[in-house]
Amino acid sequence: MSRVYNFSAGPSMLPEEVLKKAQAEMVEYGKSGMSVMEMSHRSKDYEEIIFGCEALVRELMHVPDNYKVLFLQGGGSSQFAMIPLNLASKNKKCDIVITGQWAKKAAQEAERYITVNKVASSADKTFSYIPKLDKNTFSKDADYFYICMNNTIYGTKWNNLPETGDIPLIADISSMIMSEEIDVSKFGLLFAGAQKNLGPAGVTLVIIREDLIGNAVDICPTMFNYQIHADNQSLYNTPPTYSIYIMKLVLEWIKEQGGVSAVQKVNEEKAKILYDFLDNSQMFRGTVAKEDRSLMNIPFVTDDEDLNAKFIKEAKEAGFVNLKGHRTVGGMRASIYNAMPIEGVKALVEFMAKFEAENK
Ligand SMILES: *Cc1c(COP(=O)(O)O)cnc(C)c1O
């Protein structure tokens, strides 16, 4: 077996221990006589998995008791519709900060149902920074205020949250969930597609304050109504059973590492190794404003397209894969989620130093 260092933005690396555990349990889970994939979602064995997974989310993220934890389908992208359909029945209005493609998509989808006030945007500099906000641009009567907290494509992260007072703050944390401590109580709703930091594609985690549940507009499809899923503990219909099982293994792994704060320390070290190299390199440079840098997604470039292509090709041959940047940014991007070991980042930086020396 040979495993590469996979810098994919998503679906992305999973901890090898998790894959091995899943492999060992694949044909028979415990003493059940069957695979998790073959189990009824109403069985005792499966209830242990899904409720155990929820308990781990609560424990690892210190989720307050007045929040529900939901396991939904339809990817992070379905939340772009679910949020306005459920949270904006009162004034039919939200505030959004446009920090990249994912915030833009959230705004476009919300606009189909409600009035969207774009508070600020960093489109002028290819989303390479988080805009400074002017409170005078906030709507007084918004039903919620929406941000994409870690911008997977552009490599920015909100390091200071907007002050929205009584207006619920909603955040897409798909590419940063459990990479660092987050104070859940500051938010009305948090969501994340699993395929970046929590497991395989197919399940989306939603953490929602209870008072925001139960306000869906009449035309909201049943499957898009948070209340339906909250009332049924995410078992209204068949949930993505295997994805939730793998998520539970990933959460157990995070717990074994010492929890989110321990994982955060390692992530800070990993990111520092790469950013320090970029800051000192004559050939490579980061593309993001320093104070807004992401811990998880690190875009970088050389000033020569041919050199970028050569780098990506040679990196791949050396076992560092999926380093090509998003088509809207160009260059390279290293996604270093929780499952990327620090050795992988060190090895990448060594490879970059060697490439720089050889291509002066
Ligand atoms: C990947 C991603 C999404 C989209 O998730 P899907 O599950 O593909 O719908 C949304 N937001 C962010 C920040 C992402 O990184």
Side-chain angles (χ1 to χ4, degrees), residues 86-249:
N86 281 269
L87 304 189
S89 58
K90 201 160 146 231
N91 297 325
K92 299 204 174 305
K93 193 186 271 189
C94 75
D95 284 355
I96 298 190
V97 185
I98 306 296
T99 51
Q101 297 257 21
W102 295 116
K104 219 173 8 183
K105 282 191 175 163
Q108 276 166 359
E109 188 68 17
E111 271 169 347
R112 303 183 60 207
Y113 308 107
I114 63 174
T115 305
V116 173
N117 171 37
K118 291 175 191 134
V119 169
S121 165
S122 48
D124 60 338
K125 290 183 185 162
T126 330
F127 301 114
S128 59
Y129 68 104
I130 299 290
K132 298 275 173 290
L133 303 183
D134 169 5
K135 273 200 178 173
N136 293 318
T137 62
F138 294 15
S139 311
K140 302 261 173 313
D141 57 346
D143 292 305
Y144 62 88
F145 190 109
Y146 182 102
I147 59 171
C148 179
M149 199 158 154
N150 184 74
N151 294 280
T152 324
I153 295 172
Y154 302 96
T156 59
K157 181 183 70 159
W158 287 82
N159 287 310
N160 296 296
L161 294 175
E163 302 272 347
T164 64
D166 290 339
I167 295 176
L169 181 61
I170 311 297
D172 177 353
I173 55 169
S174 292
S175 50
M176 67 173 291
I177 187 163
M178 297 203 202
S179 66
E180 61 179 273
E181 295 275 10
I182 287 182
D183 180 354
V184 174
S185 72
K186 291 209 165 96
F187 299 86
L189 183 152
L190 293 164
F191 72 90
Q195 68 271 28
K196 278 118 195 188
N197 238 345
L198 293 180
V203 57
T204 304
L205 184 68
V206 172
I207 302 172
I208 180 171
R209 214 173 63 207
E210 281 169 354
D211 62 287
L212 298 174
I213 299 174
N215 308 308
V217 293
D218 286 343
I219 59 136
C220 179
T222 305
M223 279 295 290
F224 268 32
N225 192 327
Y226 292 124
Q227 182 161 29
I228 294 285
H229 297 290
D231 288 351
N232 292 282
Q233 297 182 282
S234 305
L235 290 161
Y236 168 72
N237 71 324
T238 319
T241 51
Y242 200 74
S243 297
I244 292 169
Y245 157 72
I246 300 280
M247 187 195 290
K248 178 165 178 273
L249 297 186

Side-chain angles (χ1 to χ4, degrees), residues 27 34 57 71 77 89 152 173 191 199 208 253 302 308 332 342 352:
V27 178
M34 63 181 82
V57 172
F71 302 103
S77 299
S89 58
T152 324
I173 55 169
F191 72 90
I208 180 171
W253 177 84
T302 74
N308 290 344
M332 284 70 73
I342 196 161
M352 289 168 76

